Coordinates of all heavy atoms in Angstrom, one line a residue:
W1 N 50.1 -43.6 -32.7 CA 50.4 -42.6 -31.9 C 49.1 -42.1 -31.3 O 48.1 -41.8 -32.2 CB 51.3 -41.4 -32.4 CG 52.6 -41.7 -32.7 CD1 53.1 -42.1 -34.0 CD2 53.7 -41.9 -31.8 NE1 54.4 -42.5 -33.9 CE2 54.8 -42.3 -32.8 CE3 54.0 -41.7 -30.5 CZ2 56.0 -42.6 -32.1 CZ3 55.1 -41.9 -30.0 CH2 56.2 -42.3 -30.7
F2 N 48.9 -42.0 -30.0 CA 47.6 -41.7 -29.5 C 47.6 -40.4 -28.6 O 48.5 -40.3 -27.7 CB 47.0 -42.9 -28.6 CG 45.7 -42.6 -28.0 CD1 44.6 -41.9 -28.6 CD2 45.5 -43.1 -26.7 CE1 43.5 -41.8 -27.9 CE2 44.3 -43.0 -26.0 CZ 43.2 -42.3 -26.6
T3 N 46.9 -39.3 -29.0 CA 46.9 -38.1 -28.2 C 45.5 -37.7 -28.0 O 44.5 -38.4 -28.4 CB 47.7 -37.0 -29.2 OG1 46.8 -36.7 -30.3 CG2 49.0 -37.4 -29.6
R4 N 45.3 -36.5 -27.4 CA 44.1 -35.9 -27.0 C 43.4 -35.2 -28.2 O 42.4 -34.6 -28.0 CB 44.1 -34.9 -25.8 CG 44.4 -35.7 -24.6 CD 44.2 -34.8 -23.3 NE 44.9 -33.6 -23.5 CZ 44.4 -32.4 -22.7 NH1 43.5 -32.5 -22.0 NH2 45.1 -31.4 -22.9
N5 N 43.9 -35.2 -29.4 CA 43.3 -34.5 -30.5 C 42.0 -35.2 -30.9 O 42.1 -36.4 -31.3 CB 44.4 -34.7 -31.7 CG 43.9 -33.8 -32.8 OD1 42.8 -33.7 -33.2 ND2 44.8 -33.1 -33.5
D6 N 41.0 -34.5 -30.7 CA 39.6 -35.1 -30.9 C 39.5 -35.3 -32.4 O 38.7 -36.3 -32.8 CB 38.4 -34.1 -30.4 CG 38.5 -34.1 -28.9 OD1 38.9 -35.0 -28.3 OD2 38.0 -33.0 -28.4
M7 N 40.0 -34.7 -33.3 CA 39.7 -34.9 -34.7 C 40.6 -36.1 -35.1 O 40.0 -37.0 -35.9 CB 40.3 -33.7 -35.5 CG 39.5 -32.4 -35.2 SD 37.7 -32.6 -35.6 CE 37.7 -32.6 -37.3
T8 N 41.7 -36.3 -34.8 CA 42.7 -37.4 -35.3 C 43.4 -37.9 -34.0 O 44.6 -37.6 -33.9 CB 43.6 -37.1 -36.3 OG1 44.3 -35.9 -35.8 CG2 42.8 -36.8 -37.7
P9 N 42.6 -38.5 -33.1 CA 43.5 -39.0 -31.9 C 44.5 -40.1 -32.0 O 45.5 -40.1 -31.5 CB 42.3 -39.6 -31.0 CG 41.2 -40.0 -31.9 CD 41.3 -39.0 -33.1
R10 N 44.4 -40.9 -33.2 CA 45.4 -41.9 -33.5 C 45.9 -41.7 -34.9 O 45.1 -41.7 -35.9 CB 44.7 -43.3 -33.4 CG 44.4 -43.8 -31.9 CD 43.8 -45.0 -31.8 NE 43.7 -45.5 -30.3 CZ 42.7 -45.2 -29.6 NH1 41.7 -44.4 -29.9 NH2 42.7 -45.6 -28.3
V11 N 47.2 -41.6 -35.0 CA 47.8 -41.4 -36.3 C 49.1 -42.3 -36.4 O 49.7 -42.7 -35.4 CB 48.2 -39.9 -36.5 CG1 47.0 -39.0 -36.6 CG2 49.2 -39.5 -35.4
A12 N 49.5 -42.6 -37.6 CA 50.6 -43.5 -37.9 C 52.0 -42.8 -37.7 O 53.0 -43.4 -37.3 CB 50.5 -44.1 -39.3
V13 N 51.9 -41.5 -37.9 CA 53.1 -40.7 -37.9 C 53.2 -39.8 -36.8 O 52.2 -39.0 -36.5 CB 53.4 -40.0 -39.2 CG1 54.7 -39.2 -39.1 CG2 53.5 -40.9 -40.4
L14 N 54.3 -39.7 -36.0 CA 54.4 -38.8 -34.9 C 54.0 -37.4 -35.3 O 54.6 -36.8 -36.2 CB 55.8 -38.8 -34.2 CG 56.0 -38.0 -33.0 CD1 55.1 -38.4 -31.8 CD2 57.5 -38.0 -32.7
P15 N 53.1 -36.7 -34.8 CA 52.7 -35.2 -35.1 C 54.0 -34.3 -34.9 O 54.8 -34.5 -34.1 CB 51.7 -34.9 -34.2 CG 51.0 -36.2 -33.8 CD 52.1 -37.2 -33.8
Q16 N 54.0 -33.3 -35.7 CA 55.3 -32.5 -35.9 C 55.4 -31.8 -34.6 O 56.5 -31.5 -34.2 CB 55.0 -31.5 -37.0 CG 56.2 -30.5 -37.2 CD 57.6 -31.3 -37.6 OE1 57.5 -32.3 -38.4 NE2 58.6 -31.0 -37.1
R17 N 54.4 -31.4 -33.8 CA 54.6 -30.6 -32.7 C 55.4 -31.3 -31.5 O 56.1 -30.8 -30.8 CB 53.3 -30.1 -32.1 CG 52.3 -31.2 -31.5 CD 51.0 -30.6 -31.3 NE 50.0 -31.6 -30.7 CZ 49.7 -31.5 -29.4 NH1 50.1 -30.5 -28.6 NH2 48.7 -32.3 -28.8
Y18 N 55.3 -32.8 -31.6 CA 56.0 -33.6 -30.7 C 57.5 -33.7 -31.1 O 58.4 -33.7 -30.4 CB 55.4 -34.9 -30.4 CG 53.9 -34.8 -29.9 CD1 52.8 -34.8 -30.7 CD2 53.7 -34.6 -28.5 CE1 51.5 -34.8 -30.2 CE2 52.5 -34.6 -28.0 CZ 51.3 -34.6 -28.8 OH 50.1 -34.4 -28.3
V19 N 57.6 -33.7 -32.5 CA 58.8 -33.9 -33.1 C 59.7 -32.6 -32.7 O 60.8 -32.8 -32.4 CB 58.8 -34.0 -34.7 CG1 60.1 -33.8 -35.3 CG2 58.1 -35.2 -35.1
D20 N 59.1 -31.4 -32.7 CA 59.7 -30.2 -32.4 C 60.3 -30.3 -30.9 O 61.3 -29.9 -30.7 CB 58.9 -29.0 -32.6 CG 58.4 -28.8 -33.9 OD1 59.2 -29.3 -34.9 OD2 57.5 -28.1 -34.3
V21 N 59.3 -30.8 -30.2 CA 59.8 -30.9 -28.6 C 60.9 -31.8 -28.5 O 62.0 -31.5 -27.9 CB 58.5 -31.5 -27.8 CG1 59.0 -31.9 -26.3 CG2 57.5 -30.6 -27.7
F22 N 61.0 -33.0 -29.2 CA 62.0 -33.8 -29.0 C 63.3 -33.4 -29.7 O 64.5 -33.6 -29.2 CB 61.6 -35.3 -29.6 CG 60.6 -36.0 -28.8 CD1 59.5 -36.6 -29.4 CD2 60.7 -36.1 -27.4 CE1 58.5 -37.2 -28.6 CE2 59.8 -36.7 -26.8 CZ 58.6 -37.2 -27.3
E23 N 63.2 -32.7 -30.7 CA 64.4 -32.1 -31.5 C 65.1 -31.1 -30.5 O 66.4 -31.0 -30.4 CB 63.9 -31.6 -32.7 CG 63.7 -32.5 -33.8 CD 63.5 -31.9 -35.2 OE1 63.1 -30.7 -35.1 OE2 63.5 -32.7 -36.2
S24 N 64.3 -30.3 -29.8 CA 64.8 -29.3 -28.8 C 65.6 -30.0 -27.7 O 66.7 -29.6 -27.3 CB 63.8 -28.5 -28.2 OG 63.1 -27.6 -29.3
V25 N 64.9 -31.2 -27.3 CA 65.7 -31.9 -26.2 C 67.0 -32.5 -26.8 O 68.1 -32.3 -26.1 CB 64.8 -33.1 -25.7 CG1 65.8 -34.0 -24.8 CG2 63.6 -32.6 -25.1
Q26 N 67.1 -33.0 -28.0 CA 68.3 -33.4 -28.6 C 69.4 -32.3 -28.9 O 70.6 -32.5 -28.7 CB 67.9 -34.1 -30.0 CG 67.1 -35.5 -29.8 CD 68.1 -36.5 -29.1 OE1 68.0 -36.5 -27.8 NE2 68.7 -37.3 -29.8
M27 N 68.9 -31.1 -29.2 CA 69.7 -30.0 -29.4 C 70.4 -29.7 -28.0 O 71.7 -29.5 -28.0 CB 68.9 -28.8 -29.8 CG 69.8 -27.5 -30.0 SD 68.8 -26.0 -30.5 CE 67.9 -25.7 -29.0
F28 N 69.7 -29.7 -26.8 CA 70.2 -29.4 -25.6 C 71.3 -30.5 -25.3 O 72.4 -30.5 -24.8 CB 69.2 -29.4 -24.6 CG 69.8 -29.3 -23.1 CD1 70.4 -28.2 -22.7 CD2 69.6 -30.3 -22.3 CE1 71.0 -28.0 -21.4 CE2 70.1 -30.3 -21.0 CZ 70.8 -29.1 -20.6
N29 N 70.9 -31.9 -25.6 CA 71.9 -32.9 -25.3 C 73.1 -32.8 -26.1 O 74.3 -33.0 -25.5 CB 71.2 -34.3 -25.7 CG 70.0 -34.7 -24.7 OD1 70.0 -34.1 -23.6 ND2 69.2 -35.6 -25.1
R30 N 73.1 -32.4 -27.4 CA 74.2 -32.2 -28.2 C 75.1 -31.1 -27.7 O 76.4 -31.2 -27.6 CB 73.9 -31.9 -29.6 CG 73.3 -33.2 -30.4 CD 73.2 -32.9 -32.0 NE 72.3 -31.8 -32.2 CZ 71.0 -32.0 -32.4 NH1 70.5 -33.1 -32.4 NH2 70.3 -31.0 -32.8
D31 N 74.5 -29.9 -27.3 CA 75.2 -28.9 -26.8 C 75.9 -29.1 -25.5 O 77.1 -28.9 -25.2 CB 74.3 -27.7 -26.5 CG 74.0 -27.0 -28.0 OD1 74.5 -27.2 -29.0 OD2 73.0 -26.1 -28.0
S32 N 75.1 -29.9 -24.6 CA 75.8 -30.4 -23.3 C 77.0 -31.3 -23.6 O 78.0 -31.1 -22.9 CB 74.7 -31.0 -22.5 OG 73.6 -30.3 -22.3
R33 N 76.9 -32.3 -24.4 CA 78.0 -33.1 -24.6 C 79.2 -32.4 -25.4 O 80.4 -32.8 -25.2 CB 77.6 -34.4 -25.5 CG 76.6 -35.3 -24.9 CD 76.4 -36.6 -25.7 NE 75.8 -36.4 -27.0 CZ 74.5 -36.5 -27.1 NH1 73.8 -37.0 -26.1 NH2 74.0 -36.3 -28.3
A34 N 78.9 -31.3 -26.0 CA 80.0 -30.7 -26.7 C 80.8 -29.6 -25.8 O 81.9 -29.3 -26.2 CB 79.4 -29.7 -27.8
L35 N 80.2 -29.6 -24.6 CA 80.9 -28.8 -23.6 C 82.3 -29.5 -23.2 O 82.3 -30.8 -22.9 CB 80.3 -28.5 -22.3 CG 79.1 -27.5 -22.4 CD1 78.2 -27.5 -21.1 CD2 79.7 -26.0 -22.6
P36 N 83.6 -28.9 -23.2 CA 84.6 -29.7 -22.9 C 84.6 -30.1 -21.4 O 83.9 -29.5 -20.5 CB 85.7 -28.5 -23.0 CG 85.2 -27.5 -23.8 CD 83.8 -27.6 -23.7
S37 N 85.2 -31.2 -21.1 CA 85.0 -31.9 -19.8 C 85.6 -30.9 -18.7 O 85.0 -31.1 -17.5 CB 85.8 -33.1 -19.7 OG 87.2 -33.0 -20.1
D38 N 86.5 -30.0 -19.0 CA 87.0 -29.2 -17.9 C 86.2 -27.9 -17.8 O 86.7 -26.9 -17.1 CB 88.5 -28.9 -18.2 CG 88.7 -28.2 -19.6 OD1 87.9 -28.2 -20.3 OD2 89.9 -27.9 -19.9
T39 N 85.2 -27.7 -18.5 CA 84.4 -26.5 -18.5 C 83.9 -26.3 -17.2 O 83.1 -27.1 -16.5 CB 83.2 -26.5 -19.4 OG1 83.7 -26.7 -20.8 CG2 82.5 -25.1 -19.4
P40 N 84.1 -25.2 -16.4 CA 83.5 -24.9 -15.1 C 82.2 -24.5 -15.2 O 81.7 -23.6 -15.9 CB 84.3 -23.6 -14.6 CG 84.8 -22.9 -15.8 CD 85.1 -24.0 -16.9
H41 N 81.3 -25.3 -14.5 CA 79.8 -25.2 -14.6 C 79.4 -24.2 -13.5 O 79.9 -24.2 -12.4 CB 79.1 -26.4 -14.4 CG 79.2 -27.3 -15.6 ND1 78.8 -28.6 -15.6 CD2 79.8 -27.2 -16.9 CE1 79.0 -29.2 -16.8 NE2 79.6 -28.3 -17.6
F42 N 78.5 -23.3 -13.8 CA 77.9 -22.6 -12.8 C 77.1 -23.4 -11.9 O 76.4 -24.4 -12.3 CB 76.9 -21.5 -13.4 CG 77.6 -20.3 -14.2 CD1 77.7 -20.6 -15.6 CD2 78.4 -19.4 -13.7 CE1 78.4 -19.7 -16.4 CE2 79.1 -18.5 -14.4 CZ 79.1 -18.6 -15.7
D43 N 77.0 -23.0 -10.6 CA 76.2 -23.8 -9.7 C 75.1 -22.9 -9.1 O 75.0 -21.7 -9.2 CB 77.2 -24.2 -8.5 CG 76.5 -25.4 -7.7 OD1 75.3 -25.7 -8.1 OD2 77.3 -25.9 -6.7
L44 N 74.2 -23.5 -8.4 CA 73.2 -22.7 -7.7 C 73.8 -22.0 -6.5 O 75.0 -22.2 -6.1 CB 72.1 -23.6 -7.2 CG 71.2 -24.4 -8.2 CD1 70.5 -25.6 -7.6 CD2 70.3 -23.4 -8.7

């Protein structure tokens, strides 16, 4: 994994701060899929 971190730009394990970002995306994905198909969505 290659980032802009000057101290350790290349590491073998994905840094935790990126893990947190992806876990939040997955949380949104799970919540979205859990919505019943007939749920009325708000629109713009």
